[in-house]
Amino acid sequence: MSDIALLCQSLTREFTRSTREPGLKAALRAFFRPTYVTKRAVADLNFEIPRGTIVGLVGANGAGKTTFLKMAAGLLHPSSGRIEVFGYKPFERRPEFQRKIGMVMGQKSQLWIDIPASETFELLGAVYQVPADLHRARIKELAELFQVTEHLGVQVRRLSLGERMKLEVMAALLHDPEILFLDEPTIGLDVVAKAKLRELIRDYNRRKRTTIILSSHDMDDIAEVCDRLIIISKGQLKFDGTVSEIANLRTHVFDLIEERA
Amino acid sequence: MSLRAYLRAYGQVLRNALATDMEYRTSYMILVFSSAVTIIMELALFRQVYDGRSEVGGLAVELVPSFVVLGILIRSGSALWGLVYEAIDQIRDGSFRRFLLQPIHYPSYFWAQAIGPKLPTWTLGLILVLVLKQFPDFRNLLPLGHLAPFLGALALTFFLMWQLYLMIVYLGFWIEEAQFLSTAINVGVGVFSGSLVPLAWLPPGLVTFLKFTPFPLVGDFPMRAALGTLAAGEWKQLAIQSIAWIAAMCVINGVLKARGLKTYEAFGG
């Protein structure tokens, strides 16, 4: 079994979007003769992530963090270059690959909001074909770890954001993925809920050696959770090293994002 | 995926969809109320149209009450516009991506989501038929001998509507406001399928044109199967036509899905 969880070489992703000036005249002109601009969301990324590490992905808005995560999870096809997760090409979306990954997007829910989370968990167990006994045991174990046992039977829309986010992370872990992509999982959470979620992520990684890639704007997420830090600015790699290599994390990160961009 | 695993997964989708729908209990009250009002209104209108005649355009007056009730059952039992709206919204806001992250067969998922909330509607429909059959005006409503041909035709109708609605969802990859297509289908089914007014009442040129569309198959076919007015061999012929349409749409939807996902990715998924 390879010790490399994720590998990317010269990874590039471009988006083509139509643009136009404001106003009715411009709208009409754009209708008949649209103009397009190409933006490089991710440009020539090269790195490897060993199995079992927690990597923090940092960058300003639009830096390319989410685009990278989407390519790693198989939601986007790279424009050029290579990306592999456990030897799979993510964009092929093979069921064997899908069983190895979990993903949480802070602003998108995978829980059915009108019914209790336990019903979504049942569905996930069935979709990932986890044997029923094992699935029940995992729900119990994770619910105790995440301290959400009492919330399992409550309609999701009646829960607080923090409780809901714990259940989202739990949902992504139920099939025991080998790699977990977390895109801004602490967004909108209060200080206490953030701290708890960080502790849970750290704890889970210690127990299971699950590779975790976490993108966040919150430096405390990175400092407290991650073994390694990757800074992306305008789609390019600006820093790749351990968190301890940077003495004053916050100042350095801002410098790297702004000055070298 | 084994059949057992398939049934476990999509059976759970069906249960979740049903459980979600049961959270909106008042919508069932509205459904019962609006069905009752529609039946009363339509019966009054048909009475005006018939004006003492025993038959208009091939529909005998004693079949009118059954026609009205069956029309409502067929239309409300196969309409999936709410689900289509939700799916297109998921494409627009990006939450559709969960179907790409998990080992999910989307047409089956959509199918199970469609069936779940329809179970209470179909149950209410069955109760409505059983209650109405106690009244003399409705004695021709779905006699036992017509039940099997009707349910067979209705099942084909549902499969056809499922593929039609799925096509609209996939068009949502290109057209931001693809919901309007769902509205267009609903209007088409209402006016041109032969479940609101008999097809024979429409202009002959239009009827000829409609025979080249799936609309009569999702209204006129189950309706006439229930009323027992199909000619010998016609059920089989219409069933073959329905299956041909379903097969063609399965192929088209496969292409739309594959190409649509590429388009979806191009804008960020």
Side-chain angles (χ1 to χ4, degrees), chain A residues 174-185:
Chain A
L174 273 174
H175 60 288
D176 205 9
E178 291 178 36
I179 188 165
L180 180 64
F181 303 107
L182 298 170
D183 190 14
E184 300 181 28

Side-chain angles (χ1 to χ4, degrees), chain A residues 13 15 70 73 75-77 93 98 105 108 110 112 114-115 119 122-126 128-130 155, chain B residues 1 5 8-9 12-13 16-17 19-20 23-24 93 95 97-98 100-104 109 261 265-266 268:
Chain A
R13 172 70 206 204
F15 290 110
K70 284 179 179 173
L75 293 172
L76 289 178
H77 200 291
R93 290 198 282 265
Q98 289 172 322
M105 295 208 152
K108 298 277 181 289
Q110 69 159 318
W112 292 53
D114 287 316
I115 52 177
E119 305 269 15
E122 281 304 314
L123 173 58
L124 291 170
Y128 287 105
Q129 298 180 51
V130 184
Q155 280 175 311
Chain B
M1 190 185 242
R8 182 185 164 206
Q12 188 63 44
V13 177
N16 282 10
T20 298
E23 288 296 324
Y24 298 91
D93 72 16
S95 47
R97 66 170 64 107
R98 75 182 146 122
L100 310 179
L101 286 171
Q102 295 168 3
I104 283 173
Y109 196 98
L261 284 177
E265 286 182 2

Side-chain angles (χ1 to χ4, degrees), chain A residues 116-119 121 139 143 148-155 167 170:
Chain A
S118 55
E119 305 269 15
F121 294 166
I139 291 176
V148 290
T149 308
E150 64 189 288
H151 305 313
L152 293 180
V154 181
Q155 280 175 311
L167 290 167
M170 187 175 154

Side-chain angles (χ1 to χ4, degrees), chain A residues 72-172:
Chain A
L75 293 172
L76 289 178
H77 200 291
S79 301
S80 63
R82 177 179 166 208
I83 183 162
E84 283 183 11
V85 176
F86 298 116
Y88 291 96
K89 291 182 177 68
F91 52 84
E92 288 178 353
R93 290 198 282 265
R94 291 174 185 272
E96 313 89 83
F97 164 75
Q98 289 172 322
R99 286 191 192 99
K100 285 182 188 288
I101 66 161
M103 189 170 201
V104 175
M105 295 208 152
Q107 306 194 48
K108 298 277 181 289
S109 177
Q110 69 159 318
L111 299 170
W112 292 53
I113 62 160
D114 287 316
I115 52 177
S118 55
E119 305 269 15
T120 304
F121 294 166
E122 281 304 314
L123 173 58
L124 291 170
V127 162
Y128 287 105
Q129 298 180 51
V130 184
D133 291 349
L134 181 61
H135 189 59
R136 271 194 293 276
R138 271 190 200 154
I139 291 176
K140 189 170 179 290
E141 181 198 350
L142 284 169
E144 281 167 9
L145 178 70
F146 282 51
Q147 298 170 352
V148 290
T149 308
E150 64 189 288
H151 305 313
L152 293 180
V154 181
Q155 280 175 311
V156 173
R157 64 184 155 92
R158 296 186 191 278
L159 298 171
S160 72
L161 188 61
E163 291 160 352
R164 208 182 292 185
M165 192 46 74
K166 281 187 198 170
L167 290 167
E168 289 285 351
V169 177
M170 187 175 154

Side-chain angles (χ1 to χ4, degrees), chain B residues 200-218:
Chain B
W201 291 18
L202 301 176
L206 180 61
V207 176
T208 308
F209 168 74
L210 288 174
K211 282 185 179 159
F212 295 100
T213 73
F215 288 122
L217 298 170
V218 298

